[in-house]
Amino acid sequence: MCVFFLLVSQLMSVWIVNTLKTTELPEFRGELDIGIGTIDFALSNMWIVQCSMSEPLLVFVKGTGVSVTVTQLLLAVTGSWATHFGIIILFQPFESEFSGHISDVLRQKICQATEQAIVDLERHLQESSGTDKSYFGSSVNLFKLTHPHVVANTYGTQKGEFYSSSSPSEPLFSPSAFDMQPAENYTLSLAASDFFVNSAAYAYFSSGLLQINIKDDVIPKSSPIHLNTSQFGIFIPQLCTLYPDMEMQVLLYARETPLFSFSSAEVDVHVTAAAKFSAVKHDRTLIPLFRVDVDSSFNGNSQIDNIHLTAAFNINNLTLTLGSSKIGDFNKGPLEKLLKMAMSTVVLPKLNAYLKIGVPLPTLHGFSFSNAEMFLRNGFVLIVTDVEAPRDMPSGL
């Protein structure tokens, strides 16, 4: 099931339960005709001390969103109950007469509080951000409910998916079903399938964000090789002859969507990329030299550290082929070794340093997570956590 669908469903439960538990029911006075006269009664100092509810049923409504139904709500209420008949104080003889009437009164008041809690939740959802600003300087939609999908459990079946805000389109790959068992000792269980993660990769790819220009000034000074034609002449001799002592630049970009796959042991990533090498003139215009195509795979692991999703990856395989060339053919073996070295000593350390800091877990406006853990499963990742609802929500009455 998509992250957003479970998130809304289970955070809605937390929100409603916490709202009811912090709601003081107003004092209520009334009367009951017992045939020989009227008994006055008063209910005061009432609080909900226990509250549990069934998981809200979220039904997908194409084009508009979801419909929410709560079918079961169990409560325990404490408070003061006073009755009198004229000047006589009464209670036990008429307890059976009062119980049904009092239950009706409480049910009406509690339903009002529950309805208000749902209205407040809707307001917080509307205030939540719908986009993720990435370090690439653009954005993609965090998630969107689309047509029915994938997960078989009691909550329903929906597909969660990332979209590019600039060029929304469906990926060529399809989701697979998986079975998620929520953790009983945590408030919230979230699952993100490999389809969900890969749809994010597709959104970035289709937006043209998976590319970077590499210039010599980003290469460590201690590196034995720098981006200039003289030094690259060691690997490609004709560079020195055709374009002597010129600065070089590399455009590195994904040729296809990077694909993630999850297993109980690790995360695997397959990346097909290309690198366009150019020489740089004094006026900063570029002279195309050659393009190499790169097929690579990585494996690693991920965990949650202080409510941040962290990861670390190792290179598993990297092969290089010559895609096109303006300078003729050349031996690709030395360049492949250089690329592997650059990946191991420059690219991956920088990536892992970023992933070590991690990114905050996705949440909704006002909610916070605690005691979060993550587990790898075949086809998906499972995140379990406790949830604290916003402290500024109205009491509902």
Side-chain angles (χ1 to χ4, degrees):
M1 179 172 295
C2 77
V3 170
F4 181 70
F5 205 64
L6 271 176
L7 194 61
V8 172
S9 175
Q10 298 194 27
L11 291 186
M12 182 173 288
S13 298
V14 174
W15 181 287
I16 294 173
V17 168
N18 285 0
T19 298
L20 293 178
K21 283 184 177 180
T22 57
T23 296
E24 182 180 9
L25 299 174
E27 182 176 309
F28 182 80
R29 297 180 179 274
E31 57 184 29
L32 181 66
D33 187 354
I34 60 173
I36 60 173
T38 300
I39 295 180
D40 298 317
F41 66 89
L43 301 173
S44 60
N45 299 321
M46 291 184 296
W47 292 89
I48 297 171
V49 293
Q50 293 183 9
C51 180
S52 63
M53 63 183 295
S54 61
E55 192 76 28
L57 177 62
L58 275 68
V59 179
F60 178 75
V61 182
K62 188 174 183 179
T64 59
V66 292
S67 172
V68 182
T69 304
V70 177
T71 58
Q72 195 174 61
L73 185 64
L74 302 177
L75 302 170
V77 179
T78 185
S80 301
W81 178 1
T83 63
H84 63 88
F85 181 66
I87 60 173
I88 304 172
I89 301 301
L90 299 172
F91 175 72
Q92 192 168 356
F94 301 99
E95 182 178 355
S96 61
E97 299 286 344
F98 274 101
S99 59
H101 185 67
I102 297 302
S103 295
D104 291 340
V105 172
L106 290 176
R107 186 178 298 110
Q108 178 184 4
K109 298 299 180 183
I110 290 168
C111 283
Q112 292 175 357
T114 304
E115 290 173 358
Q116 185 60 48
I118 293 175
V119 170
D120 293 338
L121 177 62
E122 182 181 49
R123 173 177 57 82
H124 275 262
L125 289 174
Q126 290 172 347
E127 293 173 356
S128 299
S129 172
T131 60
D132 169 37
K133 297 296 181 183
S134 75
Y135 67 92
F136 290 104
S138 186
S139 64
V140 295
N141 289 342
L142 271 178
F143 28 59
K144 179 177 180 179
L145 293 178
T146 56
H147 47 280
H149 168 45
V150 299
V151 178
N153 64 26
T154 58
Y155 304 117
T157 57
Q158 293 297 323
K159 179 173 71 174
E161 187 172 348
F162 284 78
Y163 279 109
S164 164
S165 58
S166 60
S167 55
S169 60
E170 289 291 327
L172 299 178
F173 45 85
S174 300
S176 300
F178 64 91
D179 184 21
M180 187 198 83
Q181 298 298 325
E184 296 181 357
N185 297 328
Y186 292 86
T187 306
L188 179 66
S189 299
L190 302 174
S193 68
D194 47 18
F195 172 83
F196 183 71
V197 175
N198 287 331
S199 73
Y202 177 77
Y204 280 107
F205 173 75
S206 60
S207 298
L209 298 177
L210 297 184
Q211 58 180 308
I212 184 173
N213 270 311
I214 303 175
K215 300 179 181 180
D216 189 63
D217 57 9
V218 303
I219 297 177
K221 293 182 179 180
S222 58
S223 173
I225 299 296
H226 283 264
L227 281 175
N228 61 68
T229 54
S230 296
Q231 294 205 14
F232 262 75
I234 301 173
F235 311 104
I236 309 171
Q238 60 265 46
L239 272 180
C240 295
T241 304
L242 296 173
Y243 305 104
D245 197 25
M246 291 182 67
E247 183 183 337
M248 294 174 65
Q249 183 173 307
V250 182
L251 173 62
L252 180 64
Y253 61 94
R255 290 189 291 122
E256 298 176 4
T257 303
L259 292 179
F260 291 75
S261 62
F262 302 128
S263 69
S264 58
E266 62 186 11
V267 180
D268 292 301
V269 188
H270 182 236
V271 180
T272 55
K276 288 184 177 180
F277 288 76
S278 301
V280 183
K281 293 182 178 181
H282 292 295
D283 61 2
R284 310 313 295 174
T285 58
L286 301 180
I287 303 173
L289 299 176
F290 59 91
R291 188 197 83 226
V292 292
D293 296 332
V294 183
D295 190 277
S296 59
S297 62
F298 306 85
N299 60 5
N301 215 314
S302 185
Q303 62 183 359
I304 293 177
D305 182 18
N306 193 26
I307 319 302
H308 281 68
L309 186 61
T310 64
F313 285 92
N314 300 305
I315 187 168
N316 188 37
N317 182 56
L318 186 149
T319 57
L320 183 148
T321 56
L322 182 61
S324 62
S325 176
K326 300 290 186 180
I327 59 173
D329 198 9
F330 55 87
N331 183 4
K332 300 172 289 295
L335 189 60
E336 183 175 276
K337 291 180 180 179
L338 176 65
L339 187 59
K340 287 181 179 179
M341 182 182 71
M343 184 65 68
S344 300
T345 61
V346 179
V347 179
L348 272 180
K350 287 184 177 294
L351 175 64
N352 285 334
Y354 172 79
L355 294 175
K356 184 178 180 180
I357 298 172
V359 293
L361 291 178
T363 185
L364 296 178
H365 181 75
F367 287 91
S368 60
F369 293 157
S370 61
N371 305 319
E373 292 188 71
M374 190 184 78
F375 304 94
L376 290 174
R377 298 288 186 262
N378 291 328
F380 68 101
V381 293
L382 175 65
I383 297 175
V384 295
T385 182
D386 292 326
V387 179
E388 294 181 7
R391 297 182 182 275
D392 62 342
M393 57 187 175
S395 65
L397 290 175

